[in-house]
Amino acid sequence: MPKPPHRPDALARRIFRGADVLESGLLTRAQLRSSAWRPLFRGVYADRDLTITHRLRCLAVSDFLLPEDGVIAGRSAACLYGAPYGADEPVEVLTPGRFGPMSGVLVHRGPVPEKDVNRRVDGIRVTTPQRTGWDLARWLDVVEAVALLDAMVARGAVSVGALTEYAQARIGQPGWARLLKAVKLVDPATRTPHESRVRVRLTLAGVPAPVVKFVLARDGEPAVRLDLAWPDRHVAVSCAAEPVPAPAGWRILHAGPEQVAAGFDLLLRDLKTALRPRRSRG
């Protein structure tokens, strides 16, 4: 039976810098290359038993790689404030000085005023929620920015009012108008990034704003929650992966991820047709 790899208790369920454990004698170079450890970034490792999340990757960058004047920013900051983001996506950082390039890290350069830094998220230096919103609006298209802002507002990390105030205080600076545009499209009732993207794309295409998570209740029938609804037209859009049954008298258009990827224009055309006022017959 093969001998199990050497796993010191001091490194159990930890992230660490390879150079530090080699210098201390906890591991040899051969032991560091064993299956007990997972490389996260250049020179930074994690116990193989740890569940690797984007939050943990942010912690690794903050603790072992980021210069003192740098911060976690952008989509990674949004993740720390509760927005969903893939575990293996690059960690976004903002720094005024030289740093990188580095595999697994996306570096933005620019000033980082201390008033825009929050140190209370697991001890990680991260942009404040308001600054995070500003950066999202500057670095991403409006659809992606709103998808993340929806989640941040829904989780109470920031309010629409605080984001609006932040943008208005920076009128004339790059990004202030983009943030205001994004904030006007935020709806924290939206529950998934896909729903946010569909809702915002429809709105930007000229469709009237829907009621998000509309609850349709009728006597003697179970309540139905519709993702995006236009109650006055008895029309709704479902963003679920699989089609959902339509309540009596309603038309449900299916907008799952595959359907949207294959033909958003078709969805838009069908929805606009469904929302047209019906002509009465004399």
Side-chain angles (χ1 to χ4, degrees), residues 66-67 69-71 73 92-102 105-112 131 135 138-139:
L66 199 61
D69 56 0
V71 289
E92 291 194 60
V93 303
L94 175 64
T95 177
R98 293 178 59 85
F99 177 66
M102 181 178 297
V105 180
L106 177 58
V107 181
H108 301 276
R109 304 201 185 278
V112 189
R131 173 58 190 261
D135 289 336
R138 292 191 302 148
W139 299 340

Side-chain angles (χ1 to χ4, degrees), residues 185-226:
L185 292 165
V186 166
D187 190 327
T190 311
R191 291 305 181 197
T192 70
H194 175 65
E195 286 180 18
S196 291
R197 294 181 184 110
V198 171
R199 177 180 61 79
V200 174
R201 288 182 68 182
L202 290 174
T203 301
L204 293 176
V207 174
V211 178
V212 178
K213 297 304 179 188
F214 178 73
V215 177
L216 178 64
R218 294 184 177 178
D219 292 342
E221 298 180 14
V224 178
R225 187 183 296 271
L226 303 172

Side-chain angles (χ1 to χ4, degrees), residues 2-109:
K3 184 178 179 181
H6 181 56
R7 301 180 76 251
D9 290 342
L11 300 179
R13 304 192 64 78
R14 300 287 299 275
I15 53 177
F16 56 89
R17 189 171 12 222
D20 293 341
V21 299
L22 294 176
E23 183 178 352
S24 67
L26 278 173
L27 296 175
T28 66
R29 291 190 180 276
Q31 290 167 342
L32 182 59
R33 292 192 294 267
S34 77
S35 60
W37 320 111
R38 181 200 308 261
L40 294 180
F41 302 98
R42 186 174 63 210
V44 179
Y45 299 81
D47 185 338
R48 179 70 65 170
D49 290 343
L50 275 176
T51 299
I52 306 301
T53 62
H54 195 77
R55 193 180 195 92
L56 184 139
R57 285 165 55 81
C58 288
L59 183 63
V61 170
S62 177
D63 281 358
F64 299 112
L65 300 173
L66 199 61
E68 290 185 0
D69 56 0
V71 289
I72 303 296
R75 286 166 289 194
S76 295
C79 175
L80 294 177
Y81 291 122
Y85 198 48
D88 295 328
E89 296 291 344
V91 174
E92 291 194 60
V93 303
L94 175 64
T95 177
R98 293 178 59 85
F99 177 66
M102 181 178 297
S103 178
V105 180
L106 177 58
V107 181
H108 301 276
R109 304 201 185 278

Side-chain angles (χ1 to χ4, degrees), residues 240-254:
E242 299 296 331
V244 298
W250 280 70
R251 182 179 180 186
I252 306 295
L253 301 178
H254 184 43

